[in-house]
Structures are given as C-alpha cells and as structure tokens.
Amino acid sequence: MASRRRMLLKVIILGDSGVGKTSLMNQYVNRKFSNQYKATIGADFLTKEVQFEDRQFTLQIWDTAGQERFQSLGVAFYRGADCCVLVYDVNVMKSFDNLNNWREEFLIQASPSDPENFPFVVLGNKIDVDSGNSRVVSEKKAKAWCASKGNIPYFETSAKEGFNVEAAFQCIAKNALKNEPEEEIYLPDTIDVVGRQQQRSSGCEC
Amino acid sequence: MSSDSSSTSGDEFTNPNPNSTSKSLEDQFASAALTEPDNEPPEIQESPNGVVNGSVGENNHGEIESNEREGAVGSNLEARQSARWRRTNSEVEVEAPSSPSSSGYAGERGSSSASGSSVGFEMMSGGIGGGDDVEIQEVSNVDSIQDSQASWVPGKRHVDEDDASLSWRKRKKHFFILSNSGKPIYSRYGDEHKLAGFSATLQAIISFVENGGDRVKLVRAGNHQVVFLVKGPIYLVCISCTEEPYESLRGQLELIYGQMLLILTKSVNRCFEKNPKFDMTPLLGGTDVVFSSLIHSFSWNPATFLHAYTCLPLAYATRQAAGAILQDVADSGVLFAILMCKHKVISLVGAQKASLHPDDMLLLANFVMSSESFRTSESFSPICLPRYNPMAFLYAYVHYLDVDTYLMLLTTSSDAFYHLKDCRIRIEMVLLRSNVLSEVQRSMLDGGMHVEDLPTDPLPRSGTLSPHLGQPRDSLESFREPFVGIGGPAGLWHFMYRSIFLDQYVSSEFSPPINSPRKQKRLYRAYQNLYASMHDKGIGPHKTQFRRDENYVLLCWATQDFELYAAFDPLADKAVAIKTCNRVCQWVKDVENEIFLLGASPFSW
C-alpha cells in the first residue's frame, strides 16, 4: 500500500550564479542545452517524473537564482525540502569554495530536523569546457570535501553534453527513499465530553 | 400589500408584525428612491460579457439536478435492495470499526474514474473572451444539451491535464490546496503531481509576501482573480474568471478548508510542525469526490453563501414526531442527531447546550452525500465539525433510511457503534410507524413554495384558510395578476428568505422562466453578488437594495430578523415588486411552521 504511493520530492538547487544550475535542469527535464546565459530571477520551478525501484517519484525542482540579492528568499523557498543539490563549476575555484556557505546557509534557513543526515548531492559541472584543460578543482579535492561533510554523493556532470545528469538525479530519488520518515499513524484527539465546556466558550460564536 | 393593519400583531421578537415590516420596506424604498438614481451603480451590474461567460459554465449545475432526479427514480430499487442485503452483513463490517488513523473514508482514489469524461464546459467559456471563444461556446452549448441529460459525475475531472495544457488554462475556476512548503495537496483539475511546479510557484508568491511581513489576499490579472487563504501550514488558492466577488471566493476557500478539517481535524498542523516535508495527500486519499462535490455545490446550493441551512417542508406535527424521537436518543448520550433528506433537514436535535453551525451541517451533509460508501451500508466514521471543535474528532454513525433520507448520530465515544445502531433501529421504527418517511417522500415530490402560489392580500389569519404547503397545489386558489405571463404575481420569479434567528433559509422552487440549470446557476450567482454587496463591510451593511439589469430585477431587504432576496422579471414595476416582497414575507410567516424547524434547541441561544 505505502510502497505503491507516489512520492513527491522537493529538490532545491543551490550554487553560485553561472555554474549551470538552470542548464542542468534543462538538460535533465527537457533534454535541451543552450549556450546563452540567462540569469534566473528568484526561482524557476520544474517537475520531473522519475522511476526508481518500481516506485514513482515526482521531483519538484526549485531552481534558485545564484545571485546574492535573492538570498532573502531563502526561508520561504527552502522550507520542507527533501533534498538539496549543491552545484559548482569545476573551472571556477570560488564556486567550489562557496559550497560550504551554500550548505550552511541552507541548513540554517531550512532547519531540517536532522541536519547531520540531511540528503545533499554535490555536482561538479562544466567538465566539458576546454576538454577539461581549464579545470581548477580536482575530483579528488571535491570528493574529499564531500567525504568530510558526511559522505555527500558526488557527481561530475556536463549539462552541455548531458553527461551524468540522469545518474545524479537517480541518486537524489534513492537518497530520498532512504530518508523516508517512518509512516506515523495519524491519530487526532477525540472530543472530550468533559473538556467540551471550555471549547464551547472559546470556540463557538454562533 | 395594503398597508391596512387588520392583521393581528405577533410577538415582536420572534414574530415581527408583517404589516409593520411591510411599511418599513416601502418607506425605505420611498426614501431610497429620492436619492438613488434609477440606474444602479455600475459595479453591481453584471456586464454583458460576464453574462455570456456565465451562461455557458452553468451547465454543470444541470448535471447534479438531473442526477438527483435520476438517482431518486432510477436507482431507488437497486439501492434499497443492496442496502438491505448489506445490512445483514453490517456486524461483520463493524468488527473492525474504522480506526481514527484512517481518514474515515472508505472510498478509493480510483473512484475518480470519471476523470476522462468531459463535463467541463467551464473551460470552454474561458476567460479570454476573444473571437475564438464564440465558436467554442457554441460547441459547448451542443455538449451541454447532451450532458444535462446525463448525471453530474462525481469525482475529479481531467486528471491528464497540467498547467501546460491549454484546456487546463482555460478553465474558469481552479481551486488548489498546498502545503507551506509548496507541495500540492489538492487541485480541482489536473493531476496534483504534474502540477507540482505550479504549486511551487503559488507557494513562492505567498511566502515571498509573507517574508516581507505582509499577506497576499487577492491578485487581479486581467479578468482573473487569484484569491489566497493562509491557514497555518495549509495554503488555499482560487483562480477564477467568474466575476464572483472576492468575499464569495474567499468564503468558498474557507469552506474547502473546513471540509478538509472535517476529514482530518486541525491536528494535521502538528504533522507539519514535526516534519515540514510532510506530504498530506495520502491522508486525503479517496476524498476527491468530497471536494469536487463541495465545489460543485458553490454553484447550486445557496447555503454555501447564506451560512444557513434549509428544511424539507413538512407538516408541523410530522416534524415534531421526528424531533421527539431524535430528542429521545439525544438524551442517551448522542451529541447530535440529525435526520436529513438530501441537503434538507427534516429534524435535528443537540444534546444540552451543544450547538451546531450551519456550515458544519453543510460540510457534513456534503461529506456523507458525496461518499458512495455511506449509501450502501451503515457506517461509523470519525469526522470533525470545524465550527464546533476543529481540533478533535467526533464519531458519526450514518445510515440511509431510503435513497435520499439519512440519519446521522454524532457521538464523542469511539466505541458507541452498537449503541447508535440500537438508537437507529428505534428511530427507524418510530419514523415508519408515524409515517414520517412517507411524508418525506411526498414532500420531495410536491416540492416547497412555488411563486405561482403566492397568496394575494393576506387572508384573515385563521390557519385553515391560509395556503398550506402540504396541500395539493391545485386546491389552492392561486392568484395570478394579469400582467405577467410566467412566474408569480408581479413578475416574481424566485425568492429566498433567510431567518437570522433560526439560521435557516427557505427558497422557492424554480419555476419558469428560471427553469434551466444554467439560468438557476446564473440566478444564484446574482444572489451571491447581492449577498456580498449587502454585507460589504466597506460600504454596508445595507437594509435594502434594488437592482435592475437585462436579466432581472433583484430586490434585497435585510432586517435584524430576516433577509429576503427576490428576483423579478426585468420589466417588473418597482412599487409592485416591493409590495410583492411584503406579501412573500407574510406568506413565509404564515407557513413558517412547515418550512422551518422551530424551537430547535441547538440554535436558540
């Protein structure tokens, strides 16, 4: 019964501006890539259906703007996220250095119940650029950082060539499944006849 | 009505002297006529555009009407048989009474199988109003002729759509429920999961404004209104191009929220506090029909904006007999005992000092009537009455006594099933013995007040001569004034009378020319506008209102005891219309014993 239920996952994509968050989304959802840079304003919302281990997932992807002036949207946007994807550009050291800030900012604003085990995924994007010759962040360095933050899964991707994008999002679904909370029995109170006296006086205005 | 004061004056509090009130209405209009220009203010006139749009969408209404009729005739036998058969099995079913952990609803999500059928004309008349629309409307008119024959199909429509579908975008009225993390909970049209992106956008808008310490209530975009309602972690949104007033749409969102609470209680808030990721949809599994039926009722059931309930017309003694046996069980630990026929109350009784809000009755009746499973067996289900106590469950024993008549016994005790079953058996026996059920059937066939039967100047009030609803209609000396061809005297087409103290309203039966479902829906929309403008906090509240447009003359008269809404032929004479309203009030007074539930303790305080 519960296993047949479709799951909706809220996925937040974070990272510096220009690292290719929107391109990754477009490649993943629409299988399209454009060389033109178009800054995201606020956030874009995309939906993608995913199958994982005979379960249906709907990814509700929040593609946020990387610019600092949109940071104030954080609390509202991050609430109730199931997974956070941190993206950096392997050719820009600063975008890698900032991963830590993005991660901490997310944990502060979203305040998940179990921050230690909150599912993140890290994507090193743009590995195709200049055939990898302009690369400044090594895979080893990136993996070391991920390991130090509780073994965050790491993927190297190319939004342009569609490399590894699918696998990265499969991992997101897998993580969410692993992190699925125990189904709790929904058990509201029953009206207490004794307590009714109180409720009437406060609640009933008719 | 003549202003002679021959009739006896009643109790000033519960029985305002009809003659004195009639005078005051005429006086009010006399003075109003001096200041009011004959043309009504533009904002209350329906634009021709709106009328055209509105008329197409009205077909929806036809479907439920015809559904009700067909249901009453066609499935009568079969349903009874199956009910009887199930009843013998009921003990078995009850061995595992539905636990409070379930939503209390036995249906399955799959019951929305009607999704594919295209009943949604609303989309056709979509708000853009370009040249294309004309063609589409013609098509949909053809559809509507066929569809109005068919039943209103419960359940969700057009699940295959999403926000990228042109058809989805053209629908006239959307309703959404979502969580404050942007996860979809319910959408009137389309599949919730496919609308995840749209849902996220709605949350982003609401949260963005909230972040600034403000609240978004309404966004107007062209002829669309986007109405927002925030209830803790639950967000409700309506997107509509029906030109209904903001207050009406907001009221509809409140009812949808109430319906959700009726199924789940406000305890869902705790789930969100514990886990912001909480996905509520599974808890509401199978309840699509409940919401779609409620939304449908916004266009045919005036209780949704009058916040009052209506009674099935019955002889006073008959209702008394029903009330007596209900009172009897109420004294044995039942919190509320309610006997209803479709959406009309036959009788109801509350335990000492417990009071039931008309909105709760509306939501409860909608829940029971829209859920097919209640019809086929006796049921025991946790429900919450949001106006009574939104935090906790009550338990409802529900049993259909015939195809349209059902008994609801509400209790606070989760193990009272067998006791309530015994109560029901007792009640059913008494109702059968005292012919209440056959009287109910007869009343259903006879209908209630018909404008054609509006008596002329009041007769001396000796009960026997005043027209009685229970009598066959042809025995009445119904008086028709020569100048009208159709409808009642003075071009009276329809009226609704709402008693403030009783929390009840009575509505006349639909007569020509308001005889098509689409015209009925249009009239309800007009009443709804009237209601909203009468209760407008900015410019109101008003005592009287007189509007004339190409469809009707609408007259509203509000006193501290009642509100009267009346629709006349658009060419009706104002002075005569006002007199006719006085006569309607007199008539309602004369037959109040039969059309209202009087002295019902739950409401009297």
Side-chain angles (χ1 to χ4, degrees):
Chain A
M1 194 184 79
S3 65
R4 296 211 50 81
R5 175 154 78 74
R6 292 189 302 173
M7 263 185 100
L8 187 113
L9 302 177
K10 177 171 177 176
V11 180
I12 311 275
I13 315 285
L14 298 176
D16 282 6
S17 64
V19 297
K21 298 181 292 298
T22 303
S23 293
L24 279 165
M25 285 317 94
N26 262 328
Q27 180 58 253
Y28 180 58
V29 176
N30 304 317
R31 308 214 175 279
K32 278 183 191 152
F33 179 81
S34 162
N35 260 320
Q36 291 198 320
Y37 177 68
K38 198 179 89 215
T40 305
I41 298 174
D44 274 352
F45 309 97
L46 293 148
T47 307
K48 172 92 174 174
E49 308 255 346
V50 191
Q51 181 102 10
F52 182 76
E53 286 179 357
D54 71 285
R55 276 195 71 170
Q56 278 295 122
F57 290 89
T58 302
L59 301 187
Q60 181 192 54
I61 304 169
W62 294 58
D63 173 23
T64 61
Q67 283 86 359
E68 282 184 10
R69 68 177 186 279
F70 294 112
Q71 292 314 299
S72 66
L73 296 175
V75 195
F77 284 8
Y78 303 166
R79 185 195 295 136
D82 292 275
C83 179
C84 179
V85 180
L86 303 172
V87 186
Y88 78 97
D89 180 346
V90 297
N91 309 290
V92 181
M93 185 55 79
K94 184 97 177 77
S95 73
F96 176 75
D97 292 340
N98 272 338
L99 286 185
N100 209 38
N101 297 338
W102 284 113
R103 182 177 168 276
E104 279 178 5
E105 183 71 9
F106 175 84
L107 289 176
I108 290 166
Q109 302 229 32
S111 54
S113 46
D114 183 11
E116 296 299 302
N117 294 308
F118 186 87
F120 286 93
V121 174
V122 171
L123 307 184
N125 195 30
K126 301 195 186 180
I127 54 167
D128 59 280
V129 173
D130 200 11
S131 308
N133 292 328
S134 59
R135 180 169 185 147
V136 295
V137 183
S138 71
E139 187 172 357
K140 193 177 159 201
K141 184 171 179 178
K143 279 189 168 164
W145 183 81
C146 289
S148 74
K149 299 296 172 190
N151 280 323
I152 300 176
Y154 175 71
F155 292 87
E156 305 224 313
T157 57
S158 160
K160 186 174 179 180
E161 284 159 13
F163 175 74
N164 234 357
V165 179
E166 193 79 35
F169 280 90
Q170 280 285 322
C171 173
I172 291 167
K174 191 172 113 193
N175 268 338
L177 200 57
K178 203 173 62 191
N179 221 41
E180 189 179 13
E182 294 277 308
E183 284 282 315
E184 278 185 63
I185 293 172
Y186 183 70
L187 219 150
D189 300 334
T190 296
I191 290 182
D192 173 6
V193 190
V194 185
R196 216 179 71 221
Q197 216 67 9
Q198 279 180 316
Q199 286 142 10
R200 249 192 319 103
S201 53
S202 63
C204 194
E205 73 284 20
C206 54
Chain B
M1 169 191 265
S2 66
S3 50
D4 67 23
S5 48
S6 65
S7 80
T8 55
S9 66
D11 183 310
E12 281 298 319
F13 287 100
T14 55
N15 267 343
N17 182 340
N19 278 323
S20 70
T21 47
S22 76
K23 263 188 201 164
S24 73
L25 176 61
E26 280 162 47
D27 290 348
Q28 282 172 32
F29 270 104
S31 60
L34 294 174
T35 52
E36 260 179 39
D38 237 3
N39 287 334
E40 285 70 49
E43 71 267 22
I44 49 178
Q45 275 185 334
E46 280 191 69
S47 73
N49 210 358
V51 173
V52 173
N53 276 343
S55 65
V56 176
E58 261 127 43
N59 300 312
N60 257 349
H61 177 39
E63 288 142 23
I64 201 167
E65 287 288 311
S66 54
N67 177 30
E68 284 174 0
R69 274 186 227 119
E70 285 183 11
V73 183
S75 60
N76 194 328
L77 186 63
E78 193 192 327
R80 277 176 173 230
Q81 281 172 342
S82 74
R84 208 165 289 146
W85 180 80
R86 292 285 194 105
R87 254 175 245 170
T88 56
N89 284 341
S90 57
E91 260 102 339
V92 181
E93 288 178 27
V94 181
E95 293 289 312
S98 58
S99 79
S101 64
S102 82
S103 67
Y105 176 72
E108 289 175 10
R109 210 165 181 91
S111 64
S112 57
S113 60
S115 53
S117 69
S118 73
V119 199
F121 327 79
E122 296 207 347
M123 98 192 204
M124 301 300 198
S125 57
I128 300 142
D132 285 350
D133 261 354
V134 180
E135 278 177 31
I136 296 170
Q137 280 181 6
E138 279 169 25
V139 172
S140 78
N141 277 340
V142 174
D143 282 351
S144 72
I145 293 163
Q146 295 163 343
D147 278 327
S148 62
Q149 313 293 326
S151 305
W152 178 78
V153 186
K156 164 114 84 168
R157 311 275 138 74
H158 314 289
V159 272
D160 48 322
E161 293 179 357
D162 58 37
D163 51 330
S165 326
L166 189 62
S167 54
W168 187 88
R169 285 166 179 248
K170 282 201 161 191
R171 302 208 177 281
K172 286 182 82 179
K173 204 166 172 187
H174 286 278
F175 287 99
F176 304 96
I177 312 177
L178 51 133
S179 77
N180 65 355
S181 71
K183 293 193 177 181
I185 295 168
Y186 172 81
S187 167
R188 183 187 189 188
Y189 300 114
D191 174 84
E192 283 85 4
H193 273 224
K194 285 185 186 158
L195 292 168
F198 188 78
S199 192
T201 314
L202 292 175
Q203 189 237 308
I205 294 169
I206 297 167
S207 298
F208 180 73
V209 178
E210 263 182 3
N211 251 17
D214 206 344
R215 223 161 220 222
V216 57
K217 288 160 73 180
L218 170 68
V219 173
R220 280 184 204 280
N223 51 9
H224 282 80
Q225 293 185 85
V226 189
V227 180
F228 299 89
L229 181 64
V230 173
K231 292 285 186 183
I234 310 288
Y235 293 168
L236 299 104
V237 182
C238 171
I239 302 180
S240 164
C241 60
T242 55
E243 299 187 357
E244 289 165 87
Y246 163 75
E247 289 74 19
S248 304
L249 296 173
R250 191 191 146 90
Q252 291 167 13
L253 288 178
E254 292 274 4
L255 283 174
I256 290 176
Y257 180 65
Q259 190 74 73
M260 197 204 85
L261 292 185
L262 185 129
I263 298 167
L264 292 177
T265 78
K266 236 181 190 169
S267 299
V268 284
N269 288 10
R270 263 187 266 150
C271 299
F272 284 102
E273 280 158 24
K274 269 195 282 181
N275 173 20
K277 297 193 284 189
F278 182 64
D279 181 5
M280 226 180 91
T281 14
L283 283 184
L284 285 175
T287 56
D288 274 349
V289 278
V290 180
F291 289 100
S292 66
S293 151
L294 176 69
I295 290 168
H296 183 58
S297 73
F298 295 154
S299 61
W300 69 265
N301 189 348
T304 57
F305 61 90
L306 288 178
H307 306 290
Y309 70 98
T310 196
C311 286
L312 186 75
L314 284 174
Y316 183 71
T318 308
R319 204 186 306 282
Q320 285 290 99
I325 179 65
L326 294 184
Q327 185 64 60
D328 205 32
V329 304
D331 294 338
S332 77
V334 173
L335 194 57
F336 296 108
I338 311 162
L339 183 62
M340 294 186 73
C341 186
K342 290 189 175 167
H343 64 288
K344 296 182 177 179
V345 170
I346 296 165
S347 190
L348 75 101
V349 159
Q352 218 184 2
K353 291 199 173 171
S355 82
L356 192 51
H357 193 280
D359 284 355
D360 281 351
M361 294 174 61
L362 170 82
L363 298 171
L364 182 60
N366 179 63
F367 179 67
V368 169
M369 282 192 288
S370 61
S371 312
E372 201 54 39
S373 58
F374 285 120
R375 291 179 187 275
T376 49
S377 61
E378 57 188 334
S379 313
F380 194 61
S381 167
I383 55 107
C384 161
L385 297 178
R387 297 289 199 131
Y388 181 72
N389 181 344
M391 294 312 296
F393 270 141
L394 289 170
Y395 297 88
Y397 173 92
V398 181
H399 185 74
Y400 271 82
L401 304 176
D402 63 38
V403 159
D404 298 318
T405 311
Y406 52 100
L407 175 70
M408 299 182 283
L409 303 175
L410 307 189
T411 175
T412 57
S413 147
S414 60
D415 52 11
F417 178 84
Y418 290 104
H419 172 60
L420 298 181
K421 183 188 174 72
D422 292 343
C423 289
R424 185 265 301 169
I425 291 167
R426 262 170 59 214
I427 292 170
E428 197 167 17
M429 262 166 48
V430 172
L431 294 178
L432 284 170
R433 216 186 303 136
S434 52
N435 290 325
V436 172
L437 291 180
S438 52
E439 286 297 309
V440 165
Q441 302 264 0
R442 201 161 76 94
S443 173
M444 287 297 284
L445 291 172
D446 289 351
M449 303 175 91
H450 295 258
V451 288
E452 295 86 351
D453 300 337
L454 176 63
T456 53
D457 290 337
L459 301 157
R461 288 164 125 217
S462 61
T464 49
L465 282 178
S466 70
H468 270 270
L469 290 161
Q471 291 175 355
R473 283 181 51 219
D474 38 8
S475 76
L476 290 168
E477 293 291 319
S478 54
F479 176 88
R480 276 149 220 226
E481 290 185 11
F483 111 87
V484 254
I486 40 175
L492 175 65
W493 284 354
H494 189 264
F495 68 84
M496 293 193 309
Y497 177 104
R498 173 191 180 218
S499 163
I500 311 286
F501 290 143
L502 294 175
D503 268 340
Q504 295 172 50
Y505 75 93
V506 64
S507 171
S508 68
E509 297 291 321
F510 284 112
S511 308
I514 314 282
N515 47 1
S516 78
R518 108 172 32 162
K519 287 178 184 160
Q520 290 163 14
K521 178 172 169 185
R522 184 199 288 170
L523 177 60
Y524 277 144
R525 285 264 163 91
Y527 280 148
Q528 187 185 308
N529 280 326
L530 196 58
Y531 181 92
S533 72
M534 288 294 284
H535 293 84
D536 187 306
K537 290 200 180 72
I539 55 166
H542 298 293
K543 292 210 167 73
T544 56
Q545 201 172 144
F546 182 91
R547 302 184 186 191
R548 191 195 296 277
D549 64 21
E550 64 269 50
N551 297 308
Y552 325 96
V553 160
L554 289 178
L555 214 152
C556 182
W557 177 24
T559 72
Q560 55 174 339
D561 301 327
F562 66 86
E563 287 174 3
L564 177 73
Y565 299 83
F568 291 83
D569 184 295
L571 299 176
D573 178 76
K574 186 170 172 179
V576 178
I578 290 168
K579 282 190 176 179
T580 306
C581 283
N582 283 314
R583 281 163 52 191
V584 169
C585 291
Q586 175 65 59
W587 190 26
V588 169
K589 278 266 123 328
D590 287 347
V591 297
E592 66 177 1
N593 275 344
E594 295 164 41
I595 53 177
F596 292 134
L597 174 63
L598 299 175
S601 54
F603 305 97
S604 52
W605 77 356

